[in-house]
Amino acid sequence: MRIGVPKEVKDHEARVALVPSGVAALCEAGHEVLVEAGAGEGSAITDQDYARAGARIVPTAAEVWSGAELVVKVKEPQASEYGHLRPGLTLFTYLHLAPLPELTRRLLDARVNAVAYETIREADGSLPLLTPMSEVAGRMSVQVGAQYLERQNGGRGVLLGGVPGVAPAEVVILGGGVVGTNAAKIALGSGARVTIIDRSLKRLRELDDIFHGRLITLASNVWTVSEALRGADLVIGAVLIPGAAAPRLVRREMISRMKPGSVAVDVAIDQGGCLETSRPTTHTDPVYLVDGVVHYCVSNMPAAVPRTSTFALTNATFPYIHLLADMGLDAAVESSRALGEGVNTYRGQLVHPGVAESQGLPWRELASVGDIERGHF
Ligand SMILES: NC(=O)c1ccc[n+]([C@@H]2O[C@H](COP(=O)([O-])OP(=O)(O)OC[C@H]3O[C@@H](n4cnc5c(N)ncnc54)[C@H](O)[C@@H]3O)[C@@H](O)[C@H]2O)c1
């Protein structure tokens, strides 16, 4: 199969969908890979790196899109890319179609078979192509928190680990899932005192085991959150209720009782945030103050570390890319139910109920459309 890797065009997007090791593995398996010149630049991967791995470097996006049967990307197609969409093309990328009716219509009209990273779901309910970005954001949350705790950045002037004779910082993490666990690892590694609050006792038990009691676990309720925040230097928002807006665990009055110069990093801002005082910010202008508490609410944190994020993402996407390349979409979907969950549009039909529901559009079961009908999906 011919696989195309265009350079990302979304504002500030510096990740790329395939790395040289992936190119080498696909070429080894007999496939051909077209990479747009400069596609890896933002992730510090050169055209020479790709060429050495066996890719053909092509000068324009148009040549990548028109020459490939499978296009792999990071972000959803932008308006400037709509002209490249065509019948029969398989597109594999983050799509987040629910709030994008225009793009949904374009994909349906152009009869593109679009597979979304974010809706691929394994049998245990996990979302394997979202996990790596949560790992990145979780680890970064402590790094940025430490930075904004510094006096010259508006913080209280506290070093996370303290020093002998001086107490370390108190880090409170709301939500002990992927983001929260990764935040805890880095905070503990820096020598901070860490408390994780989660509503799942099962999860708290697991965390207690994983960290051998090196952190405090607390059951989530208004009282616990309020008391924990009073003593916190850094609070990290990492709760998620899948498919719903983040619960607003932290009320305005809790923020006003926090220590002046303490820092709140609300990673859950992409689902609306878990602090009443959170509003989305950008890497260009990442923080603002509420009642003396520094708020960092950047909704695409991994964009700040594109090289790490690119490798983390492609480690997770590559097995599916390989499957799509080896088998083609129809057979790949029949062999992997998880991949099937990723298909959002197929042969001009919307086949994902979540996207259909959020846009008030009709949808069909993937298995009832086209060739997959005859398969065992
Ligand atoms: N800002 C960014 O750049 C960025 C990057 C990656 C992920 N995220 C977001 O971070 C959030 C967390 O992601 P995740 O992968 O860790 O999710 P996850 O599902 O792994 O973990 C969420 C945790 O929150 C807990 N929780 C739910 N409701 C709670 C409540 N009321 N009180 C306490 N705990 C509660 C759950 O029990 C679970 O353990 C998501 O909104 C995700 O989209 C943001």
Side-chain angles (χ1 to χ4, degrees):
M1 186 178 282
R2 218 184 263 164
I3 299 123
V5 186
K7 185 175 164 67
E8 293 298 318
V9 295
K10 189 165 181 170
D11 191 32
H12 279 92
E13 183 52 67
R15 288 171 293 176
V16 59
L18 198 61
V19 296
S21 60
V23 171
L26 290 169
C27 292
E28 176 94 12
H31 303 295
E32 198 183 336
V33 183
L34 309 178
V35 175
E36 184 181 347
E41 246 165 35
S43 299
I45 305 172
T46 63
D47 290 348
Q48 289 82 342
D49 294 333
Y50 282 115
R52 255 204 320 276
R56 182 147 66 85
I57 308 298
V58 296
T60 64
E63 282 162 274
V64 174
W65 285 86
S66 63
E69 298 145 86
L70 166 64
V71 166
V72 291
K73 271 178 60 60
V74 177
K75 296 305 276 187
E76 73 282 358
Q78 304 298 295
S80 63
E81 294 173 311
Y82 290 169
H84 301 309
L85 304 176
R86 63 166 204 278
L89 176 74
T90 299
L91 175 65
F92 191 38
T93 188
Y94 282 125
L95 277 172
H96 294 287
L97 281 185
L100 300 175
E102 162 79 3
L103 175 59
T104 308
R105 195 175 55 74
R106 296 277 179 167
L107 292 169
L108 292 172
D109 288 352
R111 299 176 70 84
V112 169
N113 301 326
V115 188
Y117 291 168
E118 72 278 1
T119 63
I120 289 187
R121 184 186 292 271
E122 293 290 351
D124 63 0
S126 63
L127 302 167
L129 303 194
L130 283 181
T131 303
M133 293 306 102
S134 286
E135 290 170 335
V136 170
R139 289 178 183 219
M140 246 187 92
S141 66
V142 177
Q143 195 169 310
V144 295
Q147 184 188 337
Y148 286 104
L149 275 171
E150 290 176 14
R151 179 82 185 162
Q152 76 277 7
N153 294 328
R156 196 169 162 73
V158 171
L159 183 64
L160 273 191
V163 289
V166 181
E170 294 283 348
V171 176
V172 174
I173 301 171
L174 306 172
V178 180
V179 168
T181 306
N182 279 277
K185 276 184 190 159
I186 302 300
L188 285 172
S190 309
R193 258 201 308 246
V194 179
T195 301
I196 291 197
I197 299 179
D198 202 291
R199 67 173 178 170
S200 159
L201 288 182
K202 179 171 174 284
R203 185 62 192 149
L204 292 177
R205 286 191 187 101
E206 287 164 358
L207 289 167
D208 190 62
D209 284 343
I210 293 168
F211 291 104
H212 300 288
R214 284 167 63 219
L215 45 69
I216 295 169
T217 56
L218 294 175
S220 181
N221 57 57
V222 177
W223 177 263
T224 308
V225 172
S226 174
E227 286 302 298
L229 257 56
R230 261 179 211 265
D233 296 290
L234 169 61
V235 56
I236 293 170
V239 300
L240 175 67
I241 297 177
R248 292 273 163 128
L249 293 189
V250 178
R251 301 180 183 164
R252 170 79 194 234
E253 62 271 19
M254 297 183 193
I255 292 288
S256 60
R257 283 198 299 263
M258 285 181 74
K259 295 183 271 195
S262 51
V263 176
V265 177
D266 196 350
V267 185
I269 190 67
D270 63 341
Q271 298 291 334
C274 57
L275 279 62
E276 226 168 58
T277 45
S278 292
R279 58 174 166 79
T281 60
T282 62
H283 286 291
T284 316
D285 192 8
V287 293
Y288 59 95
L289 279 179
V290 176
D291 294 341
V293 176
V294 181
H295 285 54
Y296 174 102
C297 304
V298 174
S299 48
N300 61 338
M301 292 173 67
V305 288
R307 188 171 163 90
T308 301
S309 300
T310 283
F311 283 88
L313 176 65
T314 56
N315 281 343
T317 54
F318 188 69
Y320 300 101
I321 294 174
H322 211 322
L323 193 67
L324 284 167
D326 286 350
M327 305 182 83
L329 178 63
D330 292 357
V333 157
E334 281 172 26
S335 84
S336 163
R337 189 166 275 273
L339 193 63
E341 300 249 1
V343 184
N344 281 212
T345 64
Y346 182 74
R347 298 190 176 190
Q349 303 286 335
L350 196 53
V351 291
H352 195 278
V355 175
E357 192 183 320
S358 59
Q359 296 192 22
L361 292 173
W363 70 286
R364 285 177 61 183
E365 287 282 354
L366 177 60
S368 73
V369 188
D371 291 346
I372 293 175
E373 186 173 14
R374 295 195 300 272
H376 315 288
F377 174 74

